[in-house]
Amino acid sequence: MSHRVFVRLTCKPDCMDALSSAVREVIGKARCEDGCVSFEPAVPADGSATLLIWEHWASKSAFDAHNAHPYMQELYGKLGDWLAAAPDIVEIKELEG
């Protein structure tokens, strides 16, 4: 069963460049991982200090393996310096009907 996640990272205004740069560095690695269907970072059009990531993985175990990679652990270690709030991570399922 596939696994989809929407992540909202609310950044301190003076740290947005550092956060954006760090996320850019992991895009290619994430997209090459086994089980990655899509990994799509974006920013709001209004210019707010927020980074949004849409992730779609082939399975929950693929998502878990992604989060366990050393490069992701390194990124997570830096987030405390850059974020104004805890990451908002929402697991998504398709709307049935």
Coordinates of all heavy atoms in Angstrom, one line a residue:
M1 N 0.8 -1.2 0.0 CA 0.0 0.0 0.0 C 0.9 1.2 0.0 O 1.8 1.3 0.8 CB -0.9 0.0 1.2 CG -1.7 1.2 1.4 SD -2.7 1.3 2.9 CE -4.3 0.9 2.3
S2 N 0.6 2.2 -0.9 CA 1.4 3.4 -0.9 C 1.2 4.3 0.3 O 0.3 4.1 1.0 CB 1.1 4.2 -2.2 OG -0.1 4.8 -2.2
H3 N 2.2 5.2 0.5 CA 2.2 6.0 1.7 C 2.5 7.4 1.2 O 3.5 7.7 0.5 CB 3.3 5.6 2.6 CG 3.3 6.3 3.9 ND1 2.3 6.0 4.9 CD2 4.1 7.2 4.4 CE1 2.6 6.8 5.9 NE2 3.6 7.5 5.7
R4 N 1.6 8.4 1.5 CA 1.7 9.8 1.1 C 1.8 10.6 2.4 O 1.1 10.4 3.3 CB 0.5 10.2 0.3 CG 0.4 9.5 -1.0 CD -0.8 9.9 -1.8 NE -0.9 9.2 -3.0 CZ -1.6 8.1 -3.3 NH1 -2.3 7.5 -2.3 NH2 -1.7 7.5 -4.4
V5 N 2.6 11.7 2.3 CA 2.9 12.6 3.4 C 3.0 14.0 2.9 O 3.6 14.2 1.8 CB 4.2 12.2 4.1 CG1 4.4 13.2 5.3 CG2 4.1 10.8 4.7
F6 N 2.4 14.9 3.6 CA 2.5 16.4 3.4 C 3.2 17.0 4.6 O 2.8 16.8 5.7 CB 1.1 17.0 3.1 CG 1.2 18.4 2.8 CD1 1.5 18.8 1.5 CD2 1.0 19.4 3.7 CE1 1.6 20.2 1.2 CE2 1.1 20.8 3.4 CZ 1.4 21.1 2.1
V7 N 4.3 17.6 4.3 CA 5.1 18.2 5.4 C 5.2 19.7 5.2 O 5.4 20.3 4.2 CB 6.6 17.7 5.3 CG1 7.4 18.3 6.4 CG2 6.6 16.2 5.4
R8 N 4.9 20.4 6.3 CA 5.0 21.9 6.4 C 6.1 22.2 7.4 O 6.0 21.9 8.6 CB 3.7 22.5 6.8 CG 3.7 24.0 6.9 CD 2.5 24.6 7.5 NE 1.3 24.3 6.7 CZ 0.8 25.1 5.7 NH1 1.4 26.2 5.4 NH2 -0.2 24.7 5.0
L9 N 7.1 23.0 6.9 CA 8.2 23.4 7.7 C 8.1 24.9 7.8 O 8.3 25.6 6.8 CB 9.5 23.0 7.1 CG 9.8 21.5 7.0 CD1 11.1 21.3 6.2 CD2 9.7 20.8 8.3
T10 N 7.7 25.5 9.0 CA 7.6 26.9 9.2 C 8.9 27.4 9.7 O 9.4 27.0 10.8 CB 6.5 27.2 10.2 OG1 5.3 26.6 9.7 CG2 6.3 28.7 10.4
C11 N 9.6 28.2 8.9 CA 11.0 28.6 9.2 C 11.1 30.0 9.9 O 10.2 30.8 9.7 CB 11.6 28.7 7.8 SG 13.4 28.8 7.8
K12 N 12.1 30.1 10.6 CA 12.5 31.5 11.1 C 12.8 32.3 9.8 O 13.5 31.8 8.9 CB 13.7 31.4 12.0 CG 13.4 30.6 13.3 CD 14.7 30.5 14.1 CE 14.5 29.6 15.3 NZ 15.8 29.3 16.0
P13 N 12.3 33.5 9.7 CA 12.5 34.3 8.5 C 14.0 34.4 8.0 O 14.2 34.3 6.8 CB 11.9 35.7 8.8 CG 10.9 35.4 9.9 CD 11.5 34.3 10.7
D14 N 14.9 34.6 9.0 CA 16.3 34.7 8.6 C 17.0 33.4 8.3 O 18.2 33.4 7.9 CB 17.0 35.5 9.7 CG 17.0 34.8 11.0 OD1 16.1 34.0 11.3 OD2 18.0 35.0 11.8
C15 N 16.3 32.3 8.3 CA 16.9 31.0 8.1 C 16.3 30.3 6.8 O 16.7 29.2 6.5 CB 16.6 30.1 9.3 SG 17.4 30.6 10.8
M16 N 15.4 30.9 6.1 CA 14.8 30.3 5.0 C 15.8 29.9 3.9 O 15.7 28.8 3.3 CB 13.7 31.2 4.4 CG 12.9 30.6 3.3 SD 11.9 29.3 4.0 CE 11.2 28.6 2.5
D17 N 16.8 30.7 3.6 CA 17.8 30.4 2.6 C 18.6 29.1 3.0 O 18.8 28.3 2.2 CB 18.8 31.6 2.4 CG 18.2 32.7 1.7 OD1 17.1 32.5 1.0 OD2 18.7 33.8 1.8
A18 N 19.0 29.0 4.3 CA 19.7 27.8 4.8 C 18.8 26.6 4.7 O 19.3 25.5 4.2 CB 20.2 28.0 6.2
L19 N 17.6 26.7 5.1 CA 16.7 25.5 5.0 C 16.4 25.1 3.5 O 16.5 24.0 3.2 CB 15.3 25.9 5.7 CG 14.3 24.8 5.5 CD1 14.7 23.5 6.2 CD2 12.9 25.3 6.1
S20 N 16.2 26.1 2.7 CA 15.9 25.8 1.3 C 17.1 25.1 0.6 O 17.0 24.2 -0.1 CB 15.6 27.1 0.5 OG 14.4 27.6 1.0
S21 N 18.3 25.6 0.9 CA 19.5 25.1 0.4 C 19.7 23.6 0.9 O 20.1 22.7 0.1 CB 20.7 25.9 0.8 OG 21.9 25.4 0.3
A22 N 19.5 23.4 2.1 CA 19.7 22.0 2.7 C 18.7 21.1 2.1 O 19.0 19.9 1.8 CB 19.5 22.1 4.2
V23 N 17.4 21.5 1.9 CA 16.4 20.6 1.3 C 16.8 20.4 -0.2 O 16.6 19.3 -0.7 CB 15.0 21.2 1.4 CG1 14.0 20.4 0.6 CG2 14.6 21.2 2.9
R24 N 17.3 21.4 -0.9 CA 17.7 21.2 -2.3 C 18.7 20.1 -2.4 O 18.7 19.3 -3.4 CB 18.2 22.5 -2.9 CG 17.2 23.4 -3.4 CD 17.8 24.6 -4.1 NE 16.9 25.7 -4.2 CZ 16.8 26.7 -3.4 NH1 17.7 26.8 -2.4 NH2 15.9 27.7 -3.5
E25 N 19.6 20.0 -1.4 CA 20.7 19.0 -1.4 C 20.2 17.6 -1.3 O 20.8 16.7 -1.7 CB 21.7 19.3 -0.3 CG 22.5 20.5 -0.6 CD 23.5 20.8 0.5 OE1 23.8 19.9 1.3 OE2 24.0 22.0 0.6
V26 N 19.0 17.4 -0.7 CA 18.5 16.0 -0.5 C 17.5 15.6 -1.6 O 17.1 14.4 -1.7 CB 17.8 15.8 0.9 CG1 18.8 16.2 2.0 CG2 16.5 16.6 1.0
I27 N 17.0 16.5 -2.4 CA 16.0 16.2 -3.4 C 16.4 15.0 -4.3 O 15.7 14.0 -4.4 CB 15.6 17.4 -4.3 CG1 14.9 18.5 -3.5 CG2 14.7 17.0 -5.5 CD1 14.7 19.8 -4.2
G28 N 17.6 15.1 -4.9 CA 18.0 14.1 -5.8 C 18.2 12.7 -5.1 O 17.9 11.7 -5.7
K29 N 18.8 12.8 -3.9 CA 19.0 11.6 -3.1 C 17.6 10.9 -2.8 O 17.5 9.7 -3.0 CB 19.7 11.9 -1.9 CG 21.1 12.3 -2.1 CD 21.8 12.8 -0.8 CE 23.1 13.4 -1.0 NZ 23.8 13.9 0.2
A30 N 16.7 11.7 -2.4 CA 15.4 11.1 -2.0 C 14.7 10.5 -3.3 O 14.2 9.4 -3.2 CB 14.5 12.2 -1.4
R31 N 14.7 11.2 -4.4 CA 14.1 10.7 -5.6 C 14.7 9.5 -6.1 O 14.0 8.7 -6.9 CB 14.1 11.8 -6.6 CG 13.1 13.0 -6.3 CD 13.2 14.1 -7.3 NE 12.3 15.1 -7.1 CZ 12.3 16.3 -7.6 NH1 13.2 16.6 -8.5 NH2 11.4 17.2 -7.3
C32 N 16.0 9.2 -5.8 CA 16.6 8.0 -6.3 C 16.4 6.8 -5.3 O 16.9 5.7 -5.6 CB 18.1 8.3 -6.4 SG 18.5 9.3 -7.9
E33 N 15.8 7.0 -4.2 CA 15.7 5.9 -3.2 C 14.6 4.9 -3.7 O 13.7 5.3 -4.4 CB 15.2 6.5 -1.9 CG 16.2 7.2 -1.1 CD 15.7 7.6 0.3 OE1 15.0 6.9 0.9 OE2 16.0 8.8 0.6
D34 N 14.9 3.6 -3.4 CA 13.9 2.6 -3.7 C 12.5 3.0 -3.0 O 12.5 3.4 -1.9 CB 14.3 1.2 -3.1 CG 15.5 0.7 -3.9 OD1 15.6 1.0 -5.1 OD2 16.2 -0.2 -3.4
G35 N 11.5 2.9 -3.8 CA 10.2 3.2 -3.2 C 9.7 4.6 -3.3 O 8.6 4.9 -3.0
C36 N 10.6 5.5 -3.8 CA 10.1 6.9 -3.9 C 9.3 7.1 -5.2 O 9.8 6.8 -6.3 CB 11.3 7.9 -4.0 SG 10.8 9.6 -4.1
V37 N 8.1 7.5 -5.1 CA 7.2 7.8 -6.2 C 7.4 9.2 -6.6 O 7.5 9.6 -7.7 CB 5.7 7.4 -5.9 CG1 4.8 7.8 -7.1 CG2 5.6 5.9 -5.5
S38 N 7.4 10.1 -5.5 CA 7.6 11.5 -5.7 C 8.1 12.2 -4.4 O 7.7 11.8 -3.4 CB 6.4 12.3 -6.3 OG 5.4 12.3 -5.4
F39 N 8.9 13.2 -4.6 CA 9.4 14.0 -3.5 C 9.5 15.4 -4.0 O 10.3 15.7 -4.8 CB 10.8 13.5 -3.0 CG 11.4 14.2 -1.8 CD1 11.1 13.7 -0.6 CD2 12.2 15.3 -2.0 CE1 11.6 14.3 0.6 CE2 12.7 15.9 -0.9 CZ 12.4 15.4 0.4
E40 N 8.5 16.2 -3.7 CA 8.3 17.5 -4.3 C 8.3 18.7 -3.3 O 7.2 19.0 -2.8 CB 7.0 17.5 -5.1 CG 6.9 16.4 -6.1 CD 7.9 16.5 -7.2 OE1 8.4 17.6 -7.5 OE2 8.3 15.4 -7.7
P41 N 9.4 19.3 -3.0 CA 9.4 20.5 -2.2 C 8.9 21.7 -3.0 O 9.1 21.8 -4.2 CB 10.9 20.7 -1.9 CG 11.6 19.4 -2.2 CD 10.8 18.8 -3.3
A42 N 8.3 22.6 -2.2 CA 7.8 23.9 -2.8 C 7.7 24.9 -1.8 O 7.8 24.6 -0.6 CB 6.4 23.6 -3.4
V43 N 7.5 26.1 -2.2 CA 7.3 27.3 -1.3 C 6.0 28.0 -1.6 O 5.6 27.9 -2.8 CB 8.5 28.3 -1.3 CG1 9.8 27.6 -0.8 CG2 8.7 28.8 -2.7
P44 N 5.3 28.6 -0.7 CA 4.1 29.3 -0.9 C 4.4 30.5 -1.9 O 5.4 31.2 -1.8 CB 3.6 29.8 0.4 CG 4.3 28.9 1.4 CD 5.7 28.6 0.8
A45 N 3.4 30.8 -2.7 CA 3.5 31.9 -3.7 C 3.5 33.2 -2.9 O 4.0 34.2 -3.5 CB 2.4 31.8 -4.7
D46 N 3.0 33.3 -1.7 CA 3.0 34.6 -1.0 C 4.3 34.9 -0.4 O 4.5 36.0 0.2 CB 1.9 34.6 0.1 CG 2.2 33.6 1.2 OD1 3.2 33.0 1.3 OD2 1.3 33.5 2.1
G47 N 5.4 34.1 -0.5 CA 6.7 34.4 0.0 C 6.9 34.2 1.5 O 7.9 34.5 2.0
S48 N 5.9 33.5 2.1 CA 6.1 33.3 3.6 C 7.2 32.3 3.8 O 7.6 31.5 2.9 CB 4.8 32.8 4.2 OG 4.4 31.5 3.6
A49 N 7.8 32.4 5.0 CA 8.9 31.6 5.4 C 8.5 30.2 5.7 O 8.5 29.7 6.8 CB 9.7 32.2 6.5
T50 N 8.0 29.5 4.7 CA 7.5 28.1 4.9 C 8.0 27.3 3.7 O 8.0 27.7 2.6 CB 5.9 28.1 4.8 OG1 5.4 29.0 5.9 CG2 5.3 26.7 5.1
L51 N 8.3 26.0 4.0 CA 8.7 25.1 3.0 C 7.7 23.9 3.1 O 7.4 23.4 4.2 CB 10.1 24.6 3.2 CG 10.7 24.0 2.0 CD1 12.2 24.5 1.8 CD2 10.7 22.5 2.0
L52 N 7.2 23.5 1.9 CA 6.2 22.5 1.9 C 6.8 21.3 1.1 O 7.4 21.5 0.1 CB 4.9 23.0 1.2 CG 4.3 24.3 1.7 CD1 3.3 24.8 0.8 CD2 3.7 24.0 3.1
I53 N 6.5 20.1 1.5 CA 7.1 18.9 0.8 C 5.9 17.9 0.7 O 5.4 17.5 1.7 CB 8.3 18.3 1.5 CG1 9.4 19.3 1.8 CG2 8.8 17.1 0.7 CD1 10.5 18.8 2.7
W54 N 5.7 17.5 -0.6 CA 4.7 16.5 -0.9 C 5.5 15.2 -1.1 O 6.4 15.2 -2.0 CB 3.9 16.9 -2.1 CG 3.2 15.7 -2.8 CD1 3.6 15.1 -4.0 CD2 2.1 14.9 -2.3 NE1 2.8 14.1 -4.3 CE2 1.8 13.9 -3.2 CE3 1.3 15.0 -1.2 CZ2 0.8 13.0 -3.1 CZ3 0.3 14.1 -1.0 CH2 0.0 13.1 -2.0
E55 N 5.3 14.2 -0.4 CA 6.1 12.9 -0.6 C 5.1 11.8 -0.8 O 4.1 11.7 -0.2 CB 6.9 12.6 0.7 CG 7.9 13.6 1.1 CD 8.7 13.2 2.3 OE1 9.2 12.1 2.4 OE2 8.9 14.1 3.2
H56 N 5.4 11.0 -1.8 CA 4.6 9.8 -2.1 C 5.6 8.6 -2.2 O 6.6 8.6 -3.0 CB 3.9 10.0 -3.4 CG 3.0 8.8 -3.8 ND1 2.3 8.9 -4.9 CD2 2.7 7.7 -3.2 CE1 1.5 7.8 -5.0 NE2 1.8 7.0 -4.0
W57 N 5.4 7.6 -1.4 CA 6.3 6.5 -1.3 C 5.5 5.2 -1.6 O 4.3 5.1 -1.4 CB 6.9 6.4 0.1 CG 7.8 7.5 0.4 CD1 7.4 8.8 0.9 CD2 9.1 7.7 0.1 NE1 8.4 9.6 0.9 CE2 9.5 9.0 0.4 CE3 10.1 6.8 -0.5 CZ2 10.8 9.4 0.3 CZ3 11.4 7.3 -0.7 CH2 11.8 8.6 -0.3
A58 N 6.2 4.2 -2.1 CA 5.5 2.9 -2.5 C 4.9 2.2 -1.3 O 3.9 1.5 -1.4 CB 6.5 2.0 -3.2
S59 N 5.5 2.5 -0.1 CA 5.0 1.8 1.1 C 5.5 2.6 2.3 O 6.3 3.5 2.2 CB 5.6 0.4 1.2 OG 7.0 0.5 1.4
K60 N 4.9 2.3 3.5 CA 5.3 3.0 4.7 C 6.7 2.6 5.1 O 7.5 3.4 5.6 CB 4.3 2.5 5.8 CG 4.7 3.0 7.2 CD 4.4 4.5 7.5 CE 4.4 4.8 8.9 NZ 5.6 5.0 9.6
S61 N 7.1 1.3 4.7 CA 8.5 0.9 5.0 C 9.5 1.7 4.2 O 10.6 2.0 4.7 CB 8.6 -0.6 4.9 OG 8.3 -1.0 3.6
A62 N 9.1 2.0 2.9 CA 10.0 2.8 2.1 C 10.2 4.2 2.7 O 11.3 4.8 2.7 CB 9.5 2.9 0.7
F63 N 9.1 4.8 3.2 CA 9.1 6.1 3.8 C 10.0 6.0 5.1 O 10.8 6.9 5.3 CB 7.7 6.5 4.2 CG 7.6 7.8 5.0 CD1 7.9 9.0 4.4 CD2 7.2 7.7 6.3 CE1 7.8 10.2 5.2 CE2 7.1 8.9 7.1 CZ 7.4 10.1 6.5
D64 N 9.8 5.0 5.9 CA 10.6 4.8 7.1 C 12.1 4.7 6.8 O 12.9 5.3 7.5 CB 10.1 3.7 7.9 CG 8.7 3.9 8.5 OD1 8.3 5.0 8.6 OD2 8.1 2.9 8.9
A65 N 12.4 3.9 5.8 CA 13.8 3.8 5.3 C 14.4 5.1 4.9 O 15.5 5.4 5.2 CB 13.9 2.7 4.2
H66 N 13.6 5.9 4.2 CA 14.0 7.2 3.7 C 14.4 8.1 5.0 O 15.5 8.7 5.0 CB 12.9 7.9 2.9 CG 13.0 9.4 2.8 ND1 14.0 10.0 2.1 CD2 12.2 10.3 3.4 CE1 13.8 11.3 2.2 NE2 12.7 11.5 3.0
N67 N 13.5 8.1 5.9 CA 13.8 8.9 7.1 C 15.0 8.4 8.0 O 15.6 9.2 8.7 CB 12.5 9.0 8.0 CG 11.5 9.9 7.4 OD1 11.8 11.0 7.1 ND2 10.3 9.4 7.3
A68 N 15.3 7.2 7.8 CA 16.5 6.6 8.6 C 17.8 6.8 7.9 O 18.9 6.7 8.5 CB 16.3 5.1 8.8
H69 N 17.8 7.3 6.6 CA 19.1 7.5 5.9 C 19.9 8.6 6.6 O 19.4 9.5 7.2 CB 18.8 8.0 4.5 CG 18.6 6.9 3.5 ND1 19.7 6.2 3.0 CD2 17.5 6.5 2.9 CE1 19.2 5.3 2.1 NE2 17.9 5.4 2.1
P70 N 21.2 8.4 6.7 CA 22.1 9.3 7.3 C 22.0 10.8 6.8 O 22.0 11.7 7.6 CB 23.5 8.8 7.0 CG 23.3 7.3 6.9 CD 22.0 7.2 6.2
Y71 N 21.8 10.9 5.5 CA 21.6 12.3 5.0 C 20.4 13.0 5.5 O 20.3 14.2 5.7 CB 21.7 12.4 3.5 CG 20.5 11.9 2.7 CD1 19.5 12.7 2.4 CD2 20.4 10.5 2.3 CE1 18.3 12.3 1.7 CE2 19.3 10.1 1.6 CZ 18.3 11.0 1.3 OH 17.2 10.6 0.6
M72 N 19.3 12.2 5.7 CA 18.1 12.8 6.3 C 18.3 13.0 7.8 O 17.8 14.1 8.3 CB 16.9 11.8 6.1 CG 16.4 11.8 4.6 SD 16.0 13.4 3.9 CE 14.6 13.9 4.9
Q73 N 18.9 12.2 8.5 CA 19.2 12.4 9.9 C 20.1 13.6 10.1 O 19.8 14.4 11.0 CB 19.9 11.2 10.5 CG 19.0 9.9 10.6 CD 17.8 10.2 11.5 OE1 17.9 10.6 12.6 NE2 16.6 9.9 11.0
E74 N 21.0 13.9 9.2 CA 21.8 15.1 9.3 C 20.9 16.3 9.1 O 21.1 17.3 9.8 CB 22.9 15.1 8.2 CG 23.8 16.3 8.2 CD 24.9 16.2 7.1 OE1 25.2 15.1 6.6 OE2 25.4 17.3 6.8
L75 N 20.0 16.3 8.1 CA 19.1 17.4 7.9 C 18.2 17.6 9.1 O 18.1 18.7 9.6 CB 18.2 17.1 6.7 CG 17.1 18.1 6.4 CD1 17.7 19.5 6.1 CD2 16.2 17.7 5.2
Y76 N 17.7 16.5 9.7 CA 16.8 16.7 10.9 C 17.6 17.3 12.0 O 17.0 18.1 12.8 CB 16.2 15.3 11.3 CG 15.3 14.7 10.3 CD1 15.3 13.3 10.2 CD2 14.6 15.4 9.4 CE1 14.5 12.7 9.2 CE2 13.7 14.9 8.5 CZ 13.7 13.5 8.4 OH 12.9 12.9 7.4
G77 N 18.8 17.0 12.1 CA 19.7 17.6 13.2 C 19.8 19.1 13.1 O 20.0 19.8 14.1
K78 N 19.7 19.6 11.9 CA 19.8 21.1 11.7 C 18.5 21.8 11.8 O 18.5 23.1 12.0 CB 20.4 21.3 10.3 CG 21.7 20.8 10.1 CD 22.2 21.0 8.6 CE 23.5 20.4 8.4 NZ 23.9 20.5 7.0
L79 N 17.4 21.1 11.7 CA 16.1 21.8 11.7 C 15.8 22.6 12.9 O 15.2 23.7 12.9 CB 14.9 20.8 11.5 CG 14.9 20.1 10.1 CD1 13.7 19.2 10.1 CD2 14.8 21.1 9.0
G80 N 16.3 22.2 14.1 CA 16.0 22.9 15.3 C 16.5 24.3 15.3 O 16.0 25.2 15.9
D81 N 17.6 24.6 14.5 CA 18.2 25.9 14.4 C 17.4 26.8 13.5 O 17.4 28.0 13.5 CB 19.6 25.8 13.9 CG 20.5 25.2 14.9 OD1 20.3 25.2 16.1 OD2 21.6 24.6 14.5
W82 N 16.6 26.2 12.5 CA 16.0 26.9 11.5 C 14.5 27.1 11.6 O 13.9 28.0 11.0 CB 16.3 26.2 10.1 CG 17.7 26.1 9.7 CD1 18.7 27.0 10.1 CD2 18.3 25.1 8.9 NE1 19.9 26.6 9.6 CE2 19.7 25.4 8.8 CE3 17.8 24.0 8.3 CZ2 20.6 24.7 8.1 CZ3 18.7 23.2 7.5 CH2 20.1 23.6 7.5
L83 N 13.9 26.2 12.3 CA 12.4 26.2 12.4 C 11.8 27.1 13.5 O 12.3 27.1 14.6 CB 11.8 24.8 12.5 CG 12.2 23.9 11.3 CD1 11.5 22.6 11.5 CD2 11.8 24.5 10.0
A84 N 10.7 27.7 13.2 CA 10.0 28.5 14.2 C 9.0 27.7 14.9 O 8.5 28.1 16.0 CB 9.3 29.7 13.5
A85 N 8.7 26.5 14.4 CA 7.7 25.6 15.0 C 8.1 24.2 14.7 O 8.8 24.0 13.7 CB 6.3 26.0 14.5
A86 N 7.5 23.3 15.4 CA 7.7 21.9 15.1 C 7.2 21.6 13.7 O 6.2 22.1 13.2 CB 7.0 21.0 16.1
P87 N 7.9 20.6 13.0 CA 7.4 20.3 11.6 C 5.9 19.7 11.7 O 5.6 19.0 12.7 CB 8.3 19.1 11.2 CG 9.5 19.4 12.0 CD 9.1 19.9 13.3
D88 N 5.1 20.1 10.8 CA 3.7 19.6 10.7 C 3.7 18.5 9.6 O 3.9 18.8 8.4 CB 2.8 20.8 10.3 CG 1.4 20.4 10.3 OD1 1.0 19.3 10.9 OD2 0.6 21.1 9.6
I89 N 3.6 17.3 10.0 CA 3.6 16.2 9.1 C 2.2 15.5 9.1 O 1.7 15.1 10.1 CB 4.7 15.1 9.6 CG1 6.0 15.9 9.6 CG2 4.7 14.0 8.6 CD1 7.1 15.0 10.3
V90 N 1.6 15.5 7.9 CA 0.3 14.9 7.8 C 0.3 13.7 6.9 O 0.8 13.9 5.7 CB -0.7 16.0 7.2 CG1 -2.1 15.4 7.1 CG2 -0.7 17.2 8.1
E91 N 0.0 12.6 7.4 CA -0.2 11.4 6.5 C -1.5 11.5 5.8 O -2.5 11.9 6.3 CB -0.1 10.1 7.3 CG 1.2 9.9 8.0 CD 1.3 8.5 8.7 OE1 0.4 7.7 8.5 OE2 2.3 8.4 9.4
I92 N -1.5 11.3 4.5 CA -2.6 11.5 3.6 C -3.1 10.2 3.0 O -2.3 9.3 2.6 CB -2.2 12.5 2.5 CG1 -1.8 13.8 3.1 CG2 -3.3 12.7 1.5 CD1 -1.2 14.7 2.1
K93 N -4.4 10.1 2.9 CA -5.0 9.0 2.1 C -6.0 9.5 1.1 O -6.5 10.7 1.3 CB -5.7 8.0 3.1 CG -6.9 8.5 3.8 CD -7.5 7.4 4.7 CE -8.8 7.8 5.2 NZ -9.5 6.8 5.9
E94 N -6.3 8.8 0.1 CA -7.2 9.2 -0.9 C -8.6 9.4 -0.4 O -9.0 8.6 0.5 CB -7.2 8.3 -2.1 CG -5.9 8.3 -2.9 CD -5.9 7.4 -4.1 OE1 -7.0 7.2 -4.6 OE2 -4.8 7.0 -4.5
L95 N -9.3 10.3 -0.9 CA -10.7 10.6 -0.5 C -11.5 9.5 -1.3 O -11.5 9.5 -2.5 CB -11.1 12.0 -0.9 CG -12.5 12.4 -0.5 CD1 -12.8 12.3 1.0 CD2 -12.9 13.7 -1.1
E96 N -12.2 8.7 -0.6 CA -13.0 7.7 -1.2 C -14.4 8.2 -1.5 O -14.9 9.0 -0.7 CB -13.0 6.4 -0.4 CG -11.6 5.8 -0.2 CD -11.6 4.6 0.8 OE1 -12.7 4.2 1.1 OE2 -10.5 4.2 1.1
G97 N -15.0 7.6 -2.5 CA -16.4 8.0 -2.7 C -16.8 8.2 -4.2 O -16.2 8.1 -5.1

